[in-house]
Amino acid sequence: MKLEAMDPVEIYGPANKNLEALCSYFPELKIAARGNEIILDGNDADISRFKKKMELLIERRNHKMNLTPYDVEELFDGDASPDRYRLRGDAVIVHGNDGKPIKARNRTQEEMVKAYFENDLIFAVGPAGTGKTYIAIALAVRALKNREIKRIILTRPAVEAGERLGFLPGDLKDKLDPYLQPLYDALGDMIPAKRLQEFMNDGTIQIAPLAYMRGRTLDRACVILDEAQNTNLGQLKMFLTRMGCDAKFIVTGDASQIDLPNRRDSGLLKGIELTKEIKGIKTITFRNEDIVRHPLVAKIVKAFDSVSD
């Protein structure tokens, strides 16, 4: 196999780090690089697969300044075919750090995946445990890995659920991090810890309370507002109007878990009603039967729903 009209260092990387990363995925294949020629010895299936991955790596180099071993990792994380920007509702969205495929687990989640590709703004509402936020973050991670977006922004309203922020130790970030922990947990399932920290350090992935969204225009980003039932209508409008060019917005929430002092102040259902006729906006409604946590969770939700507020 020859690398035509390209400096091999641009592909192999400094000290052949990129090539070594690629070779690590082919333990049964003998690979020797001599200048712009790569000599392969092994079974035909491995050789063919290696060549296809190398072609994809070269294609990626044509669209960015430098390649790193992380680019090699991403070639093996999910579907790298030309139609990778679309997928069936039941297809693998991304692979978790343990190699486990992350995909829709029921029909409503499949509808959410389909809606994401057909609309720029989706509302996903329903009870706890239905995987709304997890699927949203998986879609965002997929988009980032496929270079559809430049960054992921995850936000939540910092509303107290029976606790008092002032009594928590530390500075403002320390006080708010517990509210954002479920978002960290989901990302940690899908992106290696070192890479995730790099993304957060350089701003590729941002996690912040809703108040920090004011005044921003968010281009080429997948932006997720979680726990949206704890926003009032004005806050929800502020968030939705941050949408910039080539952006995807996902709003998740559970109208049965409002932590605002006055439940009537919640703007989630009001916002859905106001925007329901706008093209490019889709609402996906999850129900108790869509709960994918421990089997007892669905029974607990049903029991509590039977008690009027």
Side-chain angles (χ1 to χ4, degrees), residues 8-21 33 67 69:
V9 176
E10 296 181 9
I11 300 299
Y12 300 162
N16 289 346
K17 291 296 184 183
N18 299 340
L19 182 60
E20 289 177 4
L67 294 175

Side-chain angles (χ1 to χ4, degrees), residues 14 41 95 114 120 135 151 157 165 173 208 210 222 235 277:
D41 183 17
H95 285 83
K114 183 173 184 288
D120 288 335
I135 291 294
R151 53 187 169 162
L165 278 174
K173 182 182 184 301
L210 180 60
C222 185
Q235 290 172 319
E277 302 297 332

Side-chain angles (χ1 to χ4, degrees), residues 17-258:
K17 291 296 184 183
N18 299 340
L19 182 60
E20 289 177 4
L22 182 59
C23 292
S24 69
Y25 288 92
F26 297 90
E28 303 300 321
L29 197 61
K30 293 182 180 179
I31 304 168
R34 298 175 181 173
N36 68 341
E37 185 175 6
I38 301 176
I39 300 172
L40 305 171
D41 183 17
N43 67 65
D44 292 341
D46 280 346
I47 290 174
S48 177
R49 185 163 173 258
F50 180 93
K51 288 181 177 179
K52 288 179 181 179
K53 294 299 184 182
M54 180 58 76
E55 288 169 0
L56 289 170
L57 194 61
I58 293 171
E59 179 186 353
R60 178 168 291 193
R61 169 60 184 83
N62 290 330
H63 292 88
K64 60 179 298 190
M65 290 293 293
N66 297 294
L67 294 175
T68 72
Y70 293 119
D71 291 293
V72 177
E73 288 180 19
E74 291 173 357
L75 293 180
F76 292 85
D77 192 356
D79 179 14
S81 63
D83 62 347
R84 63 189 180 277
Y85 302 119
R86 294 292 181 269
L87 74 166
R88 303 186 317 276
D90 62 345
V92 174
I93 302 172
V94 293
H95 285 83
N97 291 331
D98 58 359
K100 182 179 179 180
I102 297 172
K103 57 192 293 188
R105 295 175 59 183
N106 55 47
R107 183 166 295 181
T108 309
Q109 287 188 1
E110 289 176 11
E111 290 175 3
M112 181 176 173
V113 172
K114 183 173 184 288
Y116 170 85
F117 289 106
E118 296 178 350
N119 302 272
D120 288 335
L121 166 61
I122 62 173
F123 291 95
V125 295
T130 50
K132 307 180 297 295
T133 301
Y134 200 78
I135 291 294
I137 291 177
L139 288 166
V141 170
R142 176 189 174 86
L144 184 66
K145 290 185 174 183
N146 284 342
R147 303 295 195 271
E148 299 171 52
I149 57 173
K150 293 192 299 184
R151 53 187 169 162
I152 297 172
I153 300 173
L154 310 175
T155 185
R156 273 183 151 194
V159 175
E160 299 163 312
E163 300 93 356
R164 289 289 180 264
L165 278 174
F167 289 103
L168 294 175
D171 58 18
L172 180 60
K173 182 182 184 301
D174 294 328
K175 293 175 187 292
L176 292 172
D177 269 355
Y179 290 89
L180 305 173
Q181 191 59 48
L183 307 181
Y184 289 109
D185 290 345
L187 285 169
D189 284 350
M190 304 174 203
I191 302 175
K194 182 179 177 182
R195 186 59 164 160
L196 177 57
Q197 190 59 54
E198 291 175 353
F199 278 148
M200 297 187 70
N201 289 342
D202 66 18
T204 300
I205 295 178
Q206 302 171 27
I207 304 178
L210 180 60
Y212 286 31
M213 296 298 104
R214 190 175 299 278
R216 304 180 66 182
T217 300
L218 306 175
D219 299 318
R220 287 202 63 193
C222 185
V223 189
I224 300 170
L225 170 59
D226 192 34
E227 301 288 355
Q229 74 276 2
N230 289 327
T231 63
N232 60 41
L233 196 58
Q235 290 172 319
L236 184 60
K237 177 185 176 183
M238 180 274 289
F239 171 77
L240 296 179
T241 53
R242 301 307 93 202
M243 185 181 288
C245 298
D246 299 318
K248 291 277 191 177
F249 272 43
I250 304 175
V251 178
T252 68
D254 176 4
S256 70
Q257 291 190 337
I258 298 171

Side-chain angles (χ1 to χ4, degrees), residues 264-301:
R264 295 181 181 178
D265 289 339
S266 176
L268 177 59
L269 297 183
K270 297 174 187 175
I272 291 173
E273 180 65 24
L274 288 170
T275 59
K276 66 180 182 181
E277 302 297 332
I278 300 176
K279 186 177 181 180
I281 300 177
K282 178 75 173 180
T283 298
I284 304 298
T285 302
F286 289 81
R287 307 188 186 282
N288 290 353
E289 53 265 32
D290 296 316
I291 291 174
V292 293
R293 289 182 186 164
H294 192 287
L296 282 177
V297 174
K299 297 178 181 179
I300 291 168
V301 170

